[in-house]
């Protein structure tokens, strides 16, 4: 059974930084396509950053140059480093895993609030 547990969210001032973690169990992050998504009330969930099994990364235009996705295979964890945060980055952030067999799993989400 695959489980994804996000952590690291919280309240931060504009211009600040946070690092989100997604700890996986039941499947290796090194063999999966991983992604970070976010959602605000009454809007669709949107992709923020993604990393393929081969390590190729992709970012939403709104976060390019500010956010970085990475993984630690030894810890079976994926990270999202978020710098220069803006109020519009406020959302619930979710971790997503797509396994080699194309099964999709989501974490429970972690709230990020950017406010002064």
């Amino acid at each position: 059974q695959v489980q994804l547990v996000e952590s690291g969210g919280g309240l931060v001032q504009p211009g600040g930084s946070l690092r989100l973690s997604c700890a996986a169990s039941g499947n290796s992050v090194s063999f999966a396509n991983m992604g970070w998504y976010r959602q605000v009330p009454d809007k669709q969930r949107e992709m923020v950053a993604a990393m393929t099994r081969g390590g190729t990364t992709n970012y939403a235009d709104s976060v390019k140059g500010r956010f970085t996705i990475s993984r630690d295979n030894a810890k079976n964890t994926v990270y999202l480093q978020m710098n220069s945060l803006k109020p519009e980055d406020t959302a619930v952030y979710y971790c997503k895993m797509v396994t080699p067999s194309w099964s999709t799993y989501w974490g429970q989400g972690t709230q990020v609030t950017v406010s002064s």
Side-chain angles (χ1 to χ4, degrees):
Q1 180 74 11
V2 172
Q3 284 193 322
L4 303 174
V5 179
E6 299 103 333
S7 61
L11 173 64
V12 63
Q13 291 188 342
S17 297
L18 281 176
R19 189 178 77 156
L20 305 183
S21 300
C22 172
S25 59
N27 197 80
S28 172
V29 298
S30 62
F31 296 131
N33 293 329
M34 302 297 300
W36 285 98
Y37 289 68
R38 66 187 181 189
Q39 189 170 24
V40 297
D42 300 324
K43 287 194 175 181
Q44 284 192 330
R45 195 171 293 188
E46 64 172 358
M47 189 276 290
V48 174
M51 176 179 282
T52 68
R53 291 192 295 272
T56 300
T57 58
N58 186 37
Y59 297 92
D61 287 343
S62 59
V63 307
K64 279 181 181 176
R66 300 188 298 122
F67 290 11
T68 303
I69 186 172
S70 63
R71 69 184 180 210
D72 185 330
N73 294 338
K75 294 183 178 180
N76 210 30
T77 298
V78 174
Y79 302 97
L80 183 68
Q81 178 66 45
M82 305 186 294
N83 299 328
S84 302
L85 282 161
K86 305 175 181 180
E88 51 263 43
D89 295 319
T90 296
V92 178
Y93 283 71
Y94 297 91
C95 178
K96 176 184 176 182
M97 171 185 280
V98 181
T99 68
S101 60
W102 299 106
S103 295
T104 299
Y105 301 91
W106 293 91
Q108 83 288 352
T110 185
Q111 176 71 46
V112 171
T113 302
V114 184
S115 176
S116 56

